[in-house]
Amino acid sequence: MKRTIFIIAGFILTSVLTLQAQSEESLVVIDSVATITGDTLSNDSTTKMINDNLLLKQKSQIKFMKPHHFNLNIGGGIHTMLIDPSDIKSGIGFDGLFEAKYQILPKHVGLSIGAKISLRRAYTSLDNLYTNDIIHKDNKQPCTLTTQFDGWKEKESMWCADIPVQILFASGTEKPWNFIAGLGASLSIPFSGRYQTSNGTITTKAYFEQTKVEYDELKDHGVGITYSDNFPKSELKYALPQVSAIVDLGLVHNVTDEAGFYIGLYGQYGILNACKKSDEVVFDGFNYQSILASNIVSKVTPLEAGVKLGLYFSFHDVEREVSEANKILSDHVDIQRQYADEAAAERAAKEAEKNQKAELERLKQERIRKELQGIREASRQEANEALAVIKASAKYANANGTPFFPATVDEHFLTLRKYLESNSDAKIIITGHTDNSGTPAKNIINGQHRAEAFKTALVKKNIPSDRIGCVSKGETEPIADNDTEEGRLKNCRVDLDIVDQITSAPTQLP
């Protein structure tokens, strides 16, 4: 594998040095011409005069596919993965891509480097039996977990950012139609992945060595039959940065000497293992890991092929245009001032128009900002109301225990989570209070414990732990008389606040 990478790198380096030598030869010609023309080439009026005359002279001298150009492509095709061990079956999914390339193609051989965003989809299936030794989550005893997959199917998708580098080979550059091929390598960096189970069952059995007992039907303890529709669409975290060999075969049609379009085929094959090493079992009776993110997969090799369509836009042929400019300038220096005045007036008009557009855009953005702030405040009010309901609905098994909530409050937790997701600077502050039955120092500790117990309850409801802060006021802020039992019960409480950058102080709930 390393030998293959070194060969590709050496080939690319040799080609780059050859192209650089060709470019330096061209620059010698351009520099010699620039010495003749002097500062007159920088004048806008001269440029306009040159362009007008070049249009007349170049109608019968079109040069297709100039050496430097940009290429924009979209495409799609099929994608699959070669997986070890081979008893995990791989299905075919669909992939798509968008790429931008900068290409140097003097004539028959060139170089391309670009950036690409690709979406890859594939399917995997299992009909296997696995045995794992684990520590059971309920009783903390070692047990042997036997997991049977029957008709189990999973769909995976992965977004990747790619950096492709290719050597280009072309049949020519001066014909309307040209064959072009690219061979090289691409670095793929995964940044987002999802998986979803779609079919099948998992049958689990747990054997406890200490008691010599095997259980096969205790669903509350992770034993029994589990169906694929019990698992929601989840984040996929199996992929490593991947180096792939890539090949492109296509035709370029030159519409003008400035632009054209491309149609072709592409293929990509991973030359490194794309799978992260994992110690997680695919299913421990409670939690399901993706097939590709578990310890049953040791190697993943992406394989894809498809069709691409695109456009290219060439740079100016500087050498030829400077040569033509020298000839034209020798005959038209006397009208230079006229074109300079026209160009100055045009620049002034464009600058005024640009300033006007910039002011309108500024006003528009200011209006949008104010509207968004109003929407954000309304959303915050809903979050405050949800938090008040959550606080009022908290139930306790004992005075110092972790609270629990009825199912009717779930929609309010969903409202609170949505607000936190859309406002990254927002945070929930839980303040614990006590009565005066203990020492002040002890009451500070008890208040902190009360706040952290409430935090534990919120985390169980999928409120992110890092978005919750806990503080204690102890006995310092009573709301009732500590001389009565009823008053002391009221003082032993928690307060919930939402704090963010919109306000300088937390919003106190009733």
Side-chain angles (χ1 to χ4, degrees):
M1 188 63 66
K2 291 183 178 179
R3 183 179 177 184
T4 302
I5 296 174
F6 285 137
I7 292 174
I8 294 174
F11 188 23
I12 292 174
L13 180 60
T14 302
S15 301
V16 170
L17 292 175
T18 303
L19 290 172
Q20 183 176 0
Q22 294 174 351
S23 300
E24 289 175 353
E25 292 175 2
S26 299
L27 286 174
V28 171
V29 177
I30 295 172
D31 288 344
S32 64
V33 176
T35 302
I36 297 172
T37 60
D39 294 335
T40 55
L41 285 177
S42 64
N43 190 285
D44 289 339
S45 63
T46 304
T47 303
K48 184 177 187 300
M49 178 181 65
I50 291 170
N51 292 338
D52 291 342
N53 284 274
L54 285 177
L55 288 174
L56 296 175
K57 291 189 176 185
Q58 292 176 1
K59 285 184 178 179
S60 61
Q61 301 177 13
I62 293 178
K63 182 180 181 181
F64 293 114
M65 280 193 72
K66 295 175 182 178
H68 302 268
H69 58 273
F70 279 110
N71 186 210
L72 300 174
N73 297 317
I74 59 172
I78 58 175
H79 179 267
T80 188
M81 294 176 294
L82 308 179
I83 300 177
D84 285 333
S86 58
D87 57 0
I88 301 175
K89 300 177 183 177
S90 299
I92 294 177
F94 295 94
D95 67 344
L97 62 87
F98 173 80
E99 67 178 2
K101 294 182 179 179
Y102 171 66
Q103 297 181 338
I104 306 173
L105 188 60
K107 194 169 183 181
H108 293 294
V109 180
L111 179 67
S112 169
I113 184 169
K116 180 172 70 172
I117 298 295
S118 59
L119 171 62
R120 300 165 182 170
R121 291 193 178 99
Y123 298 84
T124 52
S125 59
L126 279 176
D127 286 284
N128 299 34
L129 177 67
Y130 296 95
T131 301
N132 294 282
D133 293 325
I134 67 170
I135 300 299
H136 198 274
K137 291 185 177 182
D138 287 347
N139 56 21
K140 307 302 180 183
Q141 293 184 10
C143 73
T144 299
L145 191 71
T146 303
T147 308
Q148 173 68 52
F149 291 85
D150 294 305
W152 189 262
K153 292 184 179 180
E154 183 179 290
K155 177 176 69 176
E156 299 92 10
S157 62
M158 179 66 68
W159 285 96
C160 294
D162 295 60
I163 303 175
V165 179
Q166 291 178 292
I167 300 298
L168 302 179
F169 305 91
S171 60
T173 59
E174 298 181 357
K175 299 177 182 179
W177 285 94
N178 294 286
F179 173 80
I180 187 168
L183 178 64
S186 176
L187 174 64
S188 298
I189 303 173
F191 60 86
S192 178
R194 307 286 285 177
Y195 74 87
Q196 186 173 22
T197 57
S198 59
N199 194 36
T201 60
I202 304 176
T203 303
T204 53
K205 298 180 180 180
Y207 175 76
F208 293 87
E209 181 64 29
Q210 294 181 1
T211 58
K212 308 296 184 182
V213 175
E214 183 180 73
Y215 297 95
D216 59 3
E217 187 58 37
L218 289 173
K219 290 187 176 181
D220 291 340
H221 299 279
V223 178
I225 298 178
T226 304
Y227 297 91
S228 60
D229 55 5
N230 290 340
F231 301 104
K233 191 172 185 180
S234 303
E235 187 174 2
L236 180 62
K237 298 180 179 178
Y238 81 90
L240 293 169
Q242 170 72 16
V243 176
S244 301
I246 54 175
V247 60
D248 289 318
L249 300 173
L251 290 173
V252 173
H253 177 56
N254 304 287
V255 179
T256 70
D257 63 340
E258 301 291 340
F261 63 82
Y262 168 87
I263 181 171
L265 305 175
Y266 71 92
Q268 186 162 331
Y269 176 77
I271 58 178
L272 295 177
N273 186 6
C275 184
K276 285 184 178 179
K277 183 179 179 181
S278 175
D279 295 324
E280 297 287 336
V281 300
V282 66
F283 185 61
D284 63 4
F286 296 91
N287 301 309
Y288 176 75
Q289 298 286 340
S290 167
I291 294 172
L292 299 180
S294 66
N295 62 358
I296 66 174
V297 174
S298 59
K299 185 178 181 181
V300 172
T301 302
L303 176 63
E304 57 188 287
V307 179
K308 287 196 291 191
L309 300 173
L311 301 173
Y312 82 84
F313 305 94
S314 293
F315 292 175
H316 293 295
D317 188 347
V318 177
E319 180 182 355
R320 184 183 66 185
E321 291 190 3
V322 170
S323 178
E324 292 287 343
N326 281 318
K327 297 177 183 179
I328 296 169
L329 283 173
S330 64
D331 298 327
H332 296 279
V333 172
D334 58 324
I335 62 171
Q336 181 176 350
R337 185 179 298 276
Q338 176 185 348
Y339 283 113
D341 293 339
E342 293 177 359
E346 183 179 359
R347 284 198 304 271
K350 288 182 177 179
E351 184 66 22
E353 182 180 1
K354 178 181 177 181
N355 292 338
Q356 183 180 10
K357 289 182 178 179
E359 179 62 18
L360 292 175
E361 182 64 20
R362 187 191 67 79
L363 294 174
K364 177 182 176 182
Q365 294 299 327
E366 179 67 17
R367 187 182 71 254
I368 292 174
R369 185 189 66 78
K370 292 180 179 179
E371 292 175 353
L372 288 177
Q373 184 174 357
I375 294 172
R376 179 184 171 119
E377 289 284 355
S379 177
R380 192 166 183 273
Q381 178 62 30
E382 293 176 359
N384 278 327
E385 294 172 357
L387 202 59
V389 174
I390 290 171
K391 175 185 174 182
S393 302
K395 307 294 182 182
Y396 295 84
N398 57 71
N400 296 318
T402 300
F404 56 92
F405 306 91
T408 55
V409 188
D410 287 348
E411 61 178 314
H412 297 287
F413 280 104
L414 180 59
T415 299
L416 190 58
R417 287 199 301 273
K418 287 182 177 179
Y419 177 78
L420 293 176
E421 290 171 357
S422 61
N423 296 272
S424 60
D425 54 350
K427 192 169 184 178
I428 299 172
I429 300 299
I430 305 176
T431 304
H433 300 273
T434 69
D435 58 21
N436 64 351
S437 58
T439 66
K442 183 64 175 178
N443 288 335
I444 287 293
I445 295 173
N446 291 339
Q448 184 70 22
H449 288 168
R450 181 170 284 113
E452 290 175 353
F454 208 97
K455 175 181 177 179
T456 299
L458 294 185
V459 171
K460 288 181 179 180
K461 288 295 186 175
N462 297 322
I463 303 300
S465 176
D466 60 345
R467 306 295 294 277
I468 306 172
C470 294
V471 296
S472 174
K473 294 297 182 65
E475 64 184 67
T476 61
E477 293 182 2
I479 59 173
D481 188 355
N482 276 315
D483 293 332
T484 65
E485 180 66 24
E486 181 182 358
R488 286 192 294 273
L489 288 175
K490 289 182 178 180
N491 289 332
C492 293
R493 70 192 191 280
V494 295
D495 290 327
L496 308 181
D497 310 310
I498 293 178
V499 176
D500 57 28
Q501 295 178 0
I502 293 178
T503 60
S504 59
T507 299
Q508 182 71 34
L509 296 177

